[in-house]
Amino acid sequence: MKSLHQILDTMRLPNGAYVASPSRDYSYVWIRDVCYTVLPYLTQPCDRYERAYHALFDLFRRYEWKIDIHTTKKPQHLYEYIHARYDKNLVEIDQPWGHAQNDAIGLFLWGVAQGVRHGKPVLRDQNDQVIVEKLVRYLGCVEYWQHADNGMWEENMEVHASSVGACVSGLQAVRLLADVPLEWIERGKQTLQRLLPFESDTKEVDLALLSLIYPHQVVDRQMAHTILERVAEGLERKRGVIRYKNDQYYYAGAEAEWCFGFPWLGLCWCWLGDHRQAQKYMDKTCSILPADGCLPELYIGGTDCPNGNTPLAWGVAMTMLLLNQVQNQGLSQAG
């Protein structure tokens, strides 16, 4: 069996970015997916983390003209937004898509700051620094705190708590690197206070809310427990976690069960220091992990049949992260 690291490497491109999956439908580069996929390498003595961010910086440099426009003028059409996905050469794909995804930009900024804090050479030169500053102004221009975007699932446009929280997290994190008006952060926090524990006006419970706990850590312990309880009670299933009730993606009489929901829940419990719950979700993850380690995107609702997006880089990375956390906890207890 290949290690999870080896599986991720099969999806790594020469430029340092990652495709979301080697499948026909997902063999593209998503900003969000790349940022999540390299999280296991943030604390590892290798260059995979910074190389991925260098690739994303190169992407932003290529489309810097677009960012420049929308630091002062709000996008009016979806194609005007910073695109969410690209081909393997990091070039925009000429196809209509739900590109209004503020959470991806917030996550990128957060990831840059985390890399710097961990001593990773994420910023290569002044040009990268300028991109960070322009992305901050981009989020301010769109007024992310009240902006209806496509959200993590690239679907209906409304104000999503997960998107707002990612922006709050990203802007807070890059204050050491760029000038961030505190008012922009406070407005985002006010929106979270209004929305939570709901994801949006139409979704009371959503898997995307876990991002507010891990990796972004923008909710207090009480709200984190509330979110985890609501996700477990309302969305958890036998082979994964549904994204939200009545989700129609790969619907087959029941909502699709997303595999990375189990390790994501485990990572949230790790952050809260509940290692018993973390181990519980590690066990659940192992129960659905194929023998070859290639974790699928999802199991089609109510069946043991995975969809074709296998392995999903983001899900494999989440599994690696939780496995490392659980193992490290076991070593500390043994010591």
Side-chain angles (χ1 to χ4, degrees):
M1 171 180 164
K2 290 182 178 179
S3 69
L4 298 176
H5 162 72
Q6 289 173 318
I7 293 170
L8 281 186
D9 263 2
T10 65
M11 292 175 277
R12 187 169 183 249
L13 299 170
N15 57 29
Y18 292 75
V19 294
S21 175
S23 72
R24 182 187 64 182
D25 293 338
Y26 275 22
S27 191
Y28 302 106
V29 175
W30 271 266
I31 293 172
R32 179 190 308 101
D33 289 57
V34 172
C35 293
Y36 274 106
T37 297
V38 296
L39 277 177
Y41 303 115
L42 177 59
T43 57
Q44 298 300 315
C46 67
D47 67 355
R48 280 167 175 74
Y49 191 90
E50 55 264 40
R51 283 285 312 282
Y53 274 85
H54 294 165
L56 294 178
F57 269 118
D58 288 342
L59 180 161
F60 288 129
R61 287 191 194 190
R62 174 177 285 147
Y63 296 103
E64 190 170 0
W65 60 270
K66 174 184 286 190
I67 302 172
D68 286 339
I69 293 171
H70 299 300
T71 56
T72 58
K73 180 183 177 182
K74 290 183 181 181
Q76 299 299 311
H77 307 284
L78 286 175
Y79 68 82
E80 294 180 307
Y81 287 88
I82 297 173
H83 279 205
R85 69 168 191 163
Y86 301 79
D87 68 18
K88 294 178 182 179
N89 296 314
L90 307 182
V91 175
E92 288 182 351
I93 299 167
D94 186 17
Q95 177 184 352
W97 202 259
H99 289 302
Q101 297 179 34
N102 296 337
D103 74 290
I105 306 304
L107 176 63
F108 173 81
L109 292 174
W110 176 87
V112 169
Q114 294 306 310
V116 171
R117 286 195 175 100
H118 284 81
K120 296 285 189 180
V122 176
L123 295 171
R124 297 165 295 184
D125 53 32
Q126 185 60 28
N127 291 330
D128 285 350
Q129 172 72 36
V130 168
I131 290 295
V132 170
E133 294 167 356
K134 289 182 178 181
L135 290 176
V136 168
R137 296 204 299 273
Y138 173 89
L139 291 179
C141 178
V142 301
E143 298 182 312
Y144 79 89
W145 54 86
Q146 59 183 5
H147 179 247
D149 76 340
N150 293 114
M152 186 175 291
W153 311 132
E154 307 182 319
E155 295 181 337
N156 58 309
M157 293 190 72
E158 57 182 336
V159 179
H160 294 91
S162 57
S163 291
V164 173
C167 295
V168 169
S169 173
L171 292 175
Q172 285 179 324
V174 296
R175 287 187 65 206
L176 79 164
L177 303 174
D179 179 27
V180 181
L182 288 177
E183 180 185 7
W184 293 356
I185 295 174
E186 289 305 312
R187 287 184 176 182
K189 290 180 177 179
Q190 290 167 9
T191 300
L192 289 179
Q193 290 176 351
R194 177 180 67 82
L195 284 175
L196 291 175
F198 291 8
E199 162 70 347
S200 66
D201 289 338
T202 68
K203 294 188 180 71
E204 294 188 10
V205 189
D206 193 301
L207 179 58
L209 286 167
L210 296 186
S211 65
L212 303 181
I213 306 170
Y214 181 88
H216 292 303
Q217 301 177 12
V218 291
V219 292
D220 60 25
R221 291 183 65 85
Q222 182 178 353
M223 181 57 69
H225 277 280
T226 298
I227 290 171
L228 287 169
E229 290 168 4
R230 288 164 61 86
V231 169
E233 292 174 5
L235 306 182
E236 190 174 327
R237 300 292 188 266
K238 181 179 180 181
R239 294 181 180 84
V241 184
I242 67 172
R243 297 189 298 182
Y244 52 85
K245 292 181 179 179
N246 300 315
D247 181 6
Q248 295 301 301
Y249 183 69
Y250 276 92
Y251 188 90
E255 301 93 338
E257 301 170 24
W258 287 65
C259 298
F260 64 38
F262 283 162
W264 204 348
L265 281 163
L267 288 166
C268 290
W269 283 114
C270 282
W271 179 68
L272 289 169
D274 192 324
H275 302 291
R276 183 184 63 83
Q277 285 279 23
Q279 181 64 59
K280 167 186 166 183
Y281 283 105
M282 185 72 253
D283 294 342
K284 290 192 174 193
T285 301
C286 290
S287 74
I288 61 169
L289 188 64
D292 61 2
C294 293
L295 191 73
E297 177 183 46
L298 56 84
Y299 284 91
I300 297 170
T303 76
D304 59 359
C305 180
N307 73 345
N309 300 326
T310 303
L312 185 73
W314 181 0
V316 174
M318 286 278 198
T319 303
M320 284 180 64
L321 286 162
L322 181 57
L323 182 61
N324 290 339
Q325 290 276 4
V326 170
Q327 287 178 339
N328 289 340
Q329 175 61 22
L331 289 173
S332 65
Q333 289 176 342

